[in-house]
Amino acid sequence: PTLASFSSSAAKLKVNEKRFPRAELVQASATHLPFKDGVFDQTLCAGLLLHMPNEQVRLDILKEMGRAGARPGRLVVATHSWSVAVRRQFEQDREEHDLFWHRTKPRELESLMRRSLAPCNFKTWGICHLPRWKVGNRLGRPGVLLDTLLSKGPALKHFTGSIVVAKVDLEPASQ
């Protein structure tokens, strides 16, 4: 497929049908994707890992995305961060609104990448350094530019940033 959207929830797929009218909609588990090996050149995993209740499930999801991803190919993962600034506001693991929430440290995401997607090269960084509801929306375009500049600082992902992003280049498996 050129573009596929999957969810275990039929209701979520209905939402995605409106957002992505040309996508193939598939109801499936993220740990058992119904796609052949290496079918996707690019894969995005956003807003999923944070709701998985344990590390093994997060590893299984990343392994499955790596399996369905072409080599060479690219995988981008975005999840809520547990940076120093966020730790002051939220626990790392909690349940809220009948959902489990796990906030990931940048090093934890890097470890998941190494263990589930090898061989690969990856880069992680933090984004959304300015709290949008307090500062970012009030500053408008200059706020967006400032947040973009803050995202360029590699060490800042450990201190600020409410979202950690990993860009993974999947390498061909060794023979």
Short mmCIF file of all heavy atoms in Angstrom, two decimals, residues 21-80:
data_model
loop_
_atom_site.label_atom_id
_atom_site.label_comp_id
_atom_site.label_asym_id
_atom_site.label_seq_id
_atom_site.Cartn_x
_atom_site.Cartn_y
_atom_site.Cartn_z
N PRO A 21 -8.13 10.16 3.53
CA PRO A 21 -9.10 9.47 2.66
C PRO A 21 -8.48 8.48 1.67
O PRO A 21 -9.15 7.55 1.23
CB PRO A 21 -9.82 10.60 1.94
CG PRO A 21 -8.95 11.80 2.10
CD PRO A 21 -8.14 11.61 3.33
N ARG A 22 -7.20 8.61 1.34
CA ARG A 22 -6.58 7.70 0.37
C ARG A 22 -5.84 6.54 1.04
O ARG A 22 -5.27 5.69 0.37
CB ARG A 22 -5.61 8.47 -0.53
CG ARG A 22 -6.33 9.49 -1.41
CD ARG A 22 -5.41 10.08 -2.45
NE ARG A 22 -4.13 10.47 -1.88
CZ ARG A 22 -3.55 11.63 -2.06
NH1 ARG A 22 -4.11 12.54 -2.81
NH2 ARG A 22 -2.39 11.90 -1.52
N ALA A 23 -5.88 6.50 2.36
CA ALA A 23 -5.14 5.45 3.07
C ALA A 23 -5.93 4.15 3.11
O ALA A 23 -7.16 4.14 3.16
CB ALA A 23 -4.86 5.90 4.51
N GLU A 24 -5.18 3.05 3.08
CA GLU A 24 -5.77 1.74 3.33
C GLU A 24 -5.95 1.63 4.85
O GLU A 24 -4.99 1.77 5.60
CB GLU A 24 -4.83 0.64 2.83
CG GLU A 24 -5.32 -0.75 3.11
CD GLU A 24 -4.34 -1.82 2.67
OE1 GLU A 24 -3.55 -1.58 1.73
OE2 GLU A 24 -4.37 -2.91 3.27
N LEU A 25 -7.17 1.40 5.29
CA LEU A 25 -7.46 1.32 6.73
C LEU A 25 -7.45 -0.13 7.16
O LEU A 25 -8.12 -0.98 6.55
CB LEU A 25 -8.81 1.96 7.03
CG LEU A 25 -8.95 3.42 6.60
CD1 LEU A 25 -10.36 3.91 6.83
CD2 LEU A 25 -7.96 4.29 7.33
N VAL A 26 -6.69 -0.43 8.21
CA VAL A 26 -6.52 -1.81 8.66
C VAL A 26 -6.74 -1.87 10.16
O VAL A 26 -6.07 -1.16 10.92
CB VAL A 26 -5.10 -2.32 8.32
CG1 VAL A 26 -4.91 -3.74 8.80
CG2 VAL A 26 -4.83 -2.18 6.83
N GLN A 27 -7.67 -2.71 10.60
CA GLN A 27 -7.85 -2.93 12.03
C GLN A 27 -6.94 -4.08 12.43
O GLN A 27 -7.11 -5.21 11.97
CB GLN A 27 -9.31 -3.24 12.36
CG GLN A 27 -9.57 -3.25 13.84
CD GLN A 27 -11.04 -3.28 14.19
OE1 GLN A 27 -11.91 -3.28 13.34
NE2 GLN A 27 -11.33 -3.30 15.48
N ALA A 28 -5.94 -3.76 13.26
CA ALA A 28 -4.94 -4.77 13.62
C ALA A 28 -4.22 -4.34 14.88
O ALA A 28 -4.25 -3.18 15.28
CB ALA A 28 -3.93 -4.93 12.48
N SER A 29 -3.53 -5.30 15.48
CA SER A 29 -2.68 -5.04 16.64
C SER A 29 -1.32 -4.55 16.15
O SER A 29 -0.78 -5.06 15.16
CB SER A 29 -2.51 -6.33 17.44
OG SER A 29 -1.45 -6.19 18.36
N ALA A 30 -0.75 -3.60 16.87
CA ALA A 30 0.57 -3.08 16.51
C ALA A 30 1.67 -4.12 16.69
O ALA A 30 2.75 -3.98 16.14
CB ALA A 30 0.88 -1.84 17.32
N THR A 31 1.40 -5.17 17.45
CA THR A 31 2.41 -6.21 17.65
C THR A 31 2.30 -7.33 16.61
O THR A 31 3.16 -8.21 16.57
CB THR A 31 2.31 -6.82 19.06
OG1 THR A 31 0.99 -7.35 19.24
CG2 THR A 31 2.61 -5.79 20.13
N HIS A 32 1.27 -7.29 15.77
CA HIS A 32 1.08 -8.31 14.73
C HIS A 32 0.48 -7.64 13.49
O HIS A 32 -0.70 -7.80 13.19
CB HIS A 32 0.16 -9.43 15.22
CG HIS A 32 0.70 -10.17 16.38
ND1 HIS A 32 0.47 -9.80 17.68
CD2 HIS A 32 1.52 -11.25 16.43
CE1 HIS A 32 1.08 -10.63 18.49
NE2 HIS A 32 1.74 -11.52 17.76
N LEU A 33 1.30 -6.87 12.79
CA LEU A 33 0.81 -6.15 11.61
C LEU A 33 0.59 -7.12 10.44
O LEU A 33 1.45 -7.96 10.17
CB LEU A 33 1.81 -5.07 11.20
CG LEU A 33 2.03 -3.96 12.22
CD1 LEU A 33 3.16 -3.04 11.76
CD2 LEU A 33 0.76 -3.16 12.44
N PRO A 34 -0.53 -6.98 9.73
CA PRO A 34 -0.84 -7.90 8.64
C PRO A 34 -0.20 -7.46 7.31
O PRO A 34 -0.87 -7.37 6.29
CB PRO A 34 -2.36 -7.84 8.57
CG PRO A 34 -2.69 -6.45 8.99
CD PRO A 34 -1.65 -6.09 10.02
N PHE A 35 1.08 -7.16 7.34
CA PHE A 35 1.81 -6.74 6.15
C PHE A 35 3.02 -7.63 5.96
O PHE A 35 3.59 -8.14 6.93
CB PHE A 35 2.26 -5.27 6.27
CG PHE A 35 1.14 -4.30 6.48
CD1 PHE A 35 0.96 -3.69 7.70
CD2 PHE A 35 0.25 -4.00 5.45
CE1 PHE A 35 -0.07 -2.79 7.91
CE2 PHE A 35 -0.79 -3.11 5.64
CZ PHE A 35 -0.95 -2.49 6.87
N LYS A 36 3.44 -7.77 4.72
CA LYS A 36 4.64 -8.54 4.41
C LYS A 36 5.87 -7.83 4.96
O LYS A 36 5.85 -6.62 5.20
CB LYS A 36 4.78 -8.72 2.89
CG LYS A 36 3.70 -9.56 2.28
CD LYS A 36 3.90 -9.65 0.78
CE LYS A 36 2.77 -10.46 0.15
NZ LYS A 36 2.89 -10.51 -1.30
N ASP A 37 6.96 -8.56 5.08
CA ASP A 37 8.23 -7.97 5.50
C ASP A 37 8.67 -6.91 4.51
O ASP A 37 8.58 -7.10 3.30
CB ASP A 37 9.32 -9.05 5.58
CG ASP A 37 9.08 -10.06 6.68
OD1 ASP A 37 8.08 -9.93 7.41
OD2 ASP A 37 9.90 -10.98 6.81
N GLY A 38 9.16 -5.79 5.02
CA GLY A 38 9.79 -4.76 4.20
C GLY A 38 8.89 -4.03 3.24
O GLY A 38 9.36 -3.50 2.24
N VAL A 39 7.60 -3.93 3.53
CA VAL A 39 6.67 -3.33 2.58
C VAL A 39 6.64 -1.80 2.61
O VAL A 39 6.29 -1.16 1.63
CB VAL A 39 5.25 -3.93 2.76
CG1 VAL A 39 4.59 -3.42 4.01
CG2 VAL A 39 4.38 -3.68 1.56
N PHE A 40 7.07 -1.18 3.72
CA PHE A 40 6.98 0.28 3.85
C PHE A 40 8.36 0.93 3.81
O PHE A 40 9.24 0.57 4.58
CB PHE A 40 6.27 0.66 5.15
CG PHE A 40 4.84 0.23 5.20
CD1 PHE A 40 4.45 -0.82 5.99
CD2 PHE A 40 3.88 0.88 4.44
CE1 PHE A 40 3.13 -1.23 6.03
CE2 PHE A 40 2.56 0.48 4.47
CZ PHE A 40 2.18 -0.59 5.27
N ASP A 41 8.53 1.92 2.95
CA ASP A 41 9.78 2.70 2.90
C ASP A 41 9.89 3.63 4.10
O ASP A 41 10.98 3.92 4.57
CB ASP A 41 9.85 3.54 1.62
CG ASP A 41 9.95 2.68 0.38
OD1 ASP A 41 10.50 1.57 0.48
OD2 ASP A 41 9.48 3.12 -0.68
N GLN A 42 8.75 4.16 4.53
CA GLN A 42 8.73 5.09 5.66
C GLN A 42 7.58 4.71 6.59
O GLN A 42 6.49 4.39 6.12
CB GLN A 42 8.53 6.52 5.16
CG GLN A 42 9.67 6.99 4.28
CD GLN A 42 9.46 8.42 3.83
OE1 GLN A 42 9.02 9.26 4.59
NE2 GLN A 42 9.79 8.68 2.58
N THR A 43 7.86 4.76 7.89
CA THR A 43 6.86 4.39 8.88
C THR A 43 6.86 5.44 9.99
O THR A 43 7.93 5.89 10.41
CB THR A 43 7.20 3.01 9.50
OG1 THR A 43 7.39 2.06 8.46
CG2 THR A 43 6.09 2.52 10.41
N LEU A 44 5.68 5.83 10.43
CA LEU A 44 5.52 6.78 11.53
C LEU A 44 4.78 6.11 12.66
O LEU A 44 3.73 5.50 12.46
CB LEU A 44 4.73 8.01 11.06
CG LEU A 44 4.29 8.99 12.14
CD1 LEU A 44 5.50 9.66 12.78
CD2 LEU A 44 3.33 10.02 11.58
N CYS A 45 5.34 6.20 13.85
CA CYS A 45 4.71 5.68 15.06
C CYS A 45 4.58 6.86 16.02
O CYS A 45 5.55 7.27 16.64
CB CYS A 45 5.57 4.57 15.66
SG CYS A 45 4.92 3.93 17.22
N ALA A 46 3.38 7.43 16.11
CA ALA A 46 3.17 8.61 16.95
C ALA A 46 1.99 8.36 17.89
O ALA A 46 0.93 7.90 17.46
CB ALA A 46 2.91 9.84 16.09
N GLY A 47 2.19 8.67 19.15
CA GLY A 47 1.11 8.57 20.11
C GLY A 47 0.70 7.15 20.45
O GLY A 47 -0.42 6.92 20.89
N LEU A 48 1.59 6.19 20.26
CA LEU A 48 1.26 4.80 20.53
C LEU A 48 2.06 4.24 21.70
O LEU A 48 1.48 3.71 22.65
CB LEU A 48 1.50 3.94 19.28
CG LEU A 48 1.27 2.44 19.41
CD1 LEU A 48 -0.19 2.15 19.71
CD2 LEU A 48 1.71 1.73 18.15
N LEU A 49 3.37 4.39 21.66
CA LEU A 49 4.21 3.78 22.70
C LEU A 49 3.86 4.26 24.10
O LEU A 49 3.97 3.51 25.06
CB LEU A 49 5.68 4.03 22.41
CG LEU A 49 6.26 3.38 21.15
CD1 LEU A 49 7.74 3.70 21.03
CD2 LEU A 49 6.02 1.89 21.11
N LEU A 50 3.41 5.50 24.22
CA LEU A 50 3.13 6.04 25.54
C LEU A 50 1.97 5.34 26.23
O LEU A 50 1.83 5.41 27.45
CB LEU A 50 2.88 7.54 25.48
CG LEU A 50 1.59 7.98 24.80
CD1 LEU A 50 0.95 9.09 25.64
CD2 LEU A 50 1.92 8.52 23.43
N HIS A 51 1.12 4.65 25.48
CA HIS A 51 -0.03 3.97 26.08
C HIS A 51 0.21 2.48 26.30
O HIS A 51 -0.69 1.76 26.70
CB HIS A 51 -1.28 4.18 25.23
CG HIS A 51 -1.71 5.61 25.19
ND1 HIS A 51 -2.06 6.32 26.32
CD2 HIS A 51 -1.83 6.47 24.16
CE1 HIS A 51 -2.38 7.55 25.98
NE2 HIS A 51 -2.24 7.67 24.69
N MET A 52 1.42 2.01 26.03
CA MET A 52 1.73 0.59 26.21
C MET A 52 2.21 0.36 27.63
O MET A 52 3.09 1.07 28.11
CB MET A 52 2.78 0.13 25.20
CG MET A 52 2.31 0.24 23.75
SD MET A 52 0.81 -0.71 23.43
CE MET A 52 -0.39 0.60 23.18
N PRO A 53 1.65 -0.65 28.33
CA PRO A 53 1.85 -0.80 29.76
C PRO A 53 3.21 -1.32 30.22
O PRO A 53 3.53 -1.24 31.39
CB PRO A 53 0.75 -1.78 30.18
CG PRO A 53 0.48 -2.57 28.94
CD PRO A 53 0.72 -1.63 27.79
N ASN A 54 4.01 -1.86 29.30
CA ASN A 54 5.32 -2.34 29.75
C ASN A 54 6.34 -2.31 28.62
O ASN A 54 5.98 -2.18 27.45
CB ASN A 54 5.23 -3.73 30.39
CG ASN A 54 4.77 -4.78 29.42
OD1 ASN A 54 5.37 -4.99 28.37
ND2 ASN A 54 3.67 -5.46 29.75
N GLU A 55 7.58 -2.42 29.01
CA GLU A 55 8.68 -2.31 28.06
C GLU A 55 8.65 -3.40 26.99
O GLU A 55 8.97 -3.14 25.83
CB GLU A 55 10.01 -2.35 28.81
CG GLU A 55 11.20 -2.15 27.90
CD GLU A 55 12.49 -2.13 28.68
OE1 GLU A 55 12.98 -3.22 29.01
OE2 GLU A 55 13.00 -1.02 28.92
N GLN A 56 8.27 -4.62 27.35
CA GLN A 56 8.25 -5.71 26.37
C GLN A 56 7.27 -5.42 25.23
O GLN A 56 7.58 -5.68 24.08
CB GLN A 56 7.91 -7.05 27.04
CG GLN A 56 8.05 -8.22 26.08
CD GLN A 56 9.45 -8.34 25.49
OE1 GLN A 56 10.44 -8.38 26.22
NE2 GLN A 56 9.56 -8.37 24.16
N VAL A 57 6.11 -4.87 25.55
CA VAL A 57 5.14 -4.53 24.50
C VAL A 57 5.71 -3.43 23.61
O VAL A 57 5.59 -3.47 22.38
CB VAL A 57 3.78 -4.12 25.10
CG1 VAL A 57 2.81 -3.65 24.01
CG2 VAL A 57 3.17 -5.27 25.88
N ARG A 58 6.36 -2.43 24.21
CA ARG A 58 6.97 -1.36 23.41
C ARG A 58 8.05 -1.93 22.49
O ARG A 58 8.13 -1.57 21.31
CB ARG A 58 7.55 -0.27 24.33
CG ARG A 58 6.46 0.52 25.06
CD ARG A 58 7.01 1.71 25.84
NE ARG A 58 7.62 1.36 27.10
CZ ARG A 58 6.98 1.19 28.25
NH1 ARG A 58 5.67 1.33 28.32
NH2 ARG A 58 7.63 0.89 29.35
N LEU A 59 8.86 -2.87 22.99
CA LEU A 59 9.87 -3.53 22.16
C LEU A 59 9.22 -4.31 21.02
O LEU A 59 9.66 -4.25 19.88
CB LEU A 59 10.72 -4.48 23.00
CG LEU A 59 11.89 -3.88 23.76
CD1 LEU A 59 12.45 -4.89 24.75
CD2 LEU A 59 12.96 -3.39 22.83
N ASP A 60 8.16 -5.06 21.34
CA ASP A 60 7.47 -5.86 20.32
C ASP A 60 6.90 -4.99 19.21
O ASP A 60 6.97 -5.34 18.03
CB ASP A 60 6.35 -6.70 20.95
CG ASP A 60 6.88 -7.82 21.84
OD1 ASP A 60 8.09 -8.14 21.76
OD2 ASP A 60 6.07 -8.38 22.61
N ILE A 61 6.35 -3.84 19.57
CA ILE A 61 5.80 -2.92 18.57
C ILE A 61 6.90 -2.41 17.65
O ILE A 61 6.77 -2.40 16.43
CB ILE A 61 5.05 -1.75 19.24
CG1 ILE A 61 3.74 -2.26 19.85
CG2 ILE A 61 4.80 -0.61 18.26
CD1 ILE A 61 3.05 -1.27 20.75
N LEU A 62 8.02 -1.98 18.23
CA LEU A 62 9.12 -1.47 17.41
C LEU A 62 9.72 -2.56 16.53
O LEU A 62 10.04 -2.33 15.36
CB LEU A 62 10.19 -0.83 18.29
CG LEU A 62 9.76 0.48 18.95
CD1 LEU A 62 10.80 0.93 19.97
CD2 LEU A 62 9.51 1.56 17.91
N LYS A 63 9.84 -3.78 17.05
CA LYS A 63 10.33 -4.89 16.23
C LYS A 63 9.40 -5.13 15.04
O LYS A 63 9.85 -5.36 13.93
CB LYS A 63 10.43 -6.17 17.07
CG LYS A 63 11.60 -6.21 18.00
CD LYS A 63 11.60 -7.48 18.84
CE LYS A 63 12.71 -7.45 19.87
NZ LYS A 63 12.67 -8.61 20.77
N GLU A 64 8.10 -5.07 15.30
CA GLU A 64 7.12 -5.31 14.23
C GLU A 64 7.18 -4.20 13.18
O GLU A 64 7.08 -4.44 11.98
CB GLU A 64 5.72 -5.44 14.83
CG GLU A 64 4.66 -5.85 13.88
CD GLU A 64 4.83 -7.26 13.31
OE1 GLU A 64 5.81 -7.96 13.61
OE2 GLU A 64 3.97 -7.65 12.50
N MET A 65 7.35 -2.96 13.62
CA MET A 65 7.48 -1.86 12.66
C MET A 65 8.77 -1.99 11.87
O MET A 65 8.80 -1.71 10.68
CB MET A 65 7.40 -0.53 13.38
CG MET A 65 6.05 -0.35 14.01
SD MET A 65 5.61 1.34 14.21
CE MET A 65 3.90 1.11 14.62
N GLY A 66 9.83 -2.45 12.53
CA GLY A 66 11.08 -2.71 11.82
C GLY A 66 10.93 -3.83 10.81
O GLY A 66 11.51 -3.79 9.72
N ARG A 67 10.15 -4.85 11.14
CA ARG A 67 9.92 -5.97 10.22
C ARG A 67 9.15 -5.51 8.98
O ARG A 67 9.48 -5.84 7.85
CB ARG A 67 9.13 -7.09 10.92
CG ARG A 67 8.86 -8.29 10.02
CD ARG A 67 7.75 -9.17 10.54
NE ARG A 67 6.47 -8.53 10.63
CZ ARG A 67 5.65 -8.28 9.59
NH1 ARG A 67 6.00 -8.61 8.36
NH2 ARG A 67 4.48 -7.69 9.78
N ALA A 68 8.12 -4.69 9.19
CA ALA A 68 7.30 -4.22 8.06
C ALA A 68 8.01 -3.12 7.27
O ALA A 68 7.65 -2.84 6.13
CB ALA A 68 5.95 -3.72 8.56
N GLY A 69 9.02 -2.50 7.87
CA GLY A 69 9.76 -1.45 7.20
C GLY A 69 10.82 -2.00 6.26
O GLY A 69 11.47 -3.00 6.56
N ALA A 70 10.97 -1.35 5.12
CA ALA A 70 11.99 -1.76 4.15
C ALA A 70 13.38 -1.44 4.70
O ALA A 70 13.55 -0.53 5.50
CB ALA A 70 11.77 -1.02 2.83
N ARG A 71 14.35 -2.19 4.25
CA ARG A 71 15.75 -1.93 4.59
C ARG A 71 16.53 -1.77 3.31
O ARG A 71 16.60 -2.72 2.56
CB ARG A 71 16.31 -3.07 5.45
CG ARG A 71 15.67 -3.07 6.82
CD ARG A 71 16.26 -4.16 7.69
NE ARG A 71 15.69 -4.14 9.01
CZ ARG A 71 16.22 -3.50 10.06
NH1 ARG A 71 17.35 -2.86 9.93
NH2 ARG A 71 15.64 -3.53 11.22
N PRO A 72 17.05 -0.60 2.98
CA PRO A 72 17.05 0.60 3.80
C PRO A 72 15.66 1.27 3.80
O PRO A 72 14.90 1.15 2.84
CB PRO A 72 18.08 1.50 3.13
CG PRO A 72 18.12 1.05 1.71
CD PRO A 72 17.79 -0.42 1.72
N GLY A 73 15.36 1.94 4.88
CA GLY A 73 14.09 2.64 5.04
C GLY A 73 14.17 3.54 6.25
O GLY A 73 15.21 3.65 6.90
N ARG A 74 13.06 4.20 6.57
CA ARG A 74 13.06 5.14 7.69
C ARG A 74 11.85 4.90 8.57
O ARG A 74 10.76 4.66 8.10
CB ARG A 74 13.04 6.57 7.17
CG ARG A 74 12.86 7.57 8.30
CD ARG A 74 13.43 8.92 8.08
NE ARG A 74 14.85 8.87 7.84
CZ ARG A 74 15.50 9.82 7.18
NH1 ARG A 74 14.85 10.85 6.70
NH2 ARG A 74 16.80 9.74 7.01
N LEU A 75 12.08 5.01 9.88
CA LEU A 75 11.04 4.93 10.89
C LEU A 75 11.16 6.17 11.77
O LEU A 75 12.27 6.52 12.18
CB LEU A 75 11.23 3.67 11.74
CG LEU A 75 10.40 3.51 13.01
CD1 LEU A 75 8.91 3.44 12.70
CD2 LEU A 75 10.83 2.26 13.77
N VAL A 76 10.05 6.84 12.01
CA VAL A 76 10.05 8.00 12.91
C VAL A 76 9.11 7.66 14.07
O VAL A 76 7.98 7.23 13.86
CB VAL A 76 9.58 9.28 12.19
CG1 VAL A 76 9.47 10.44 13.17
CG2 VAL A 76 10.53 9.63 11.06
N VAL A 77 9.62 7.84 15.28
CA VAL A 77 8.85 7.54 16.49
C VAL A 77 8.73 8.83 17.30
O VAL A 77 9.73 9.51 17.53
CB VAL A 77 9.55 6.46 17.34
CG1 VAL A 77 8.78 6.21 18.63
CG2 VAL A 77 9.73 5.19 16.55
N ALA A 78 7.51 9.15 17.73
CA ALA A 78 7.29 10.31 18.59
C ALA A 78 6.47 9.86 19.79
O ALA A 78 5.46 9.17 19.64
CB ALA A 78 6.55 11.41 17.83
N THR A 79 6.94 10.22 20.97
CA THR A 79 6.23 9.83 22.18
C THR A 79 6.45 10.90 23.25
O THR A 79 7.35 11.72 23.13
CB THR A 79 6.70 8.43 22.66
OG1 THR A 79 5.83 7.99 23.70
CG2 THR A 79 8.13 8.44 23.13
N HIS A 80 5.64 10.86 24.29
CA HIS A 80 5.78 11.85 25.36
C HIS A 80 7.10 11.63 26.10
O HIS A 80 7.48 10.50 26.39
CB HIS A 80 4.61 11.74 26.33
CG HIS A 80 3.36 12.33 25.79
ND1 HIS A 80 2.41 12.91 26.59
CD2 HIS A 80 2.88 12.45 24.53
CE1 HIS A 80 1.42 13.35 25.85
NE2 HIS A 80 1.67 13.07 24.60
#
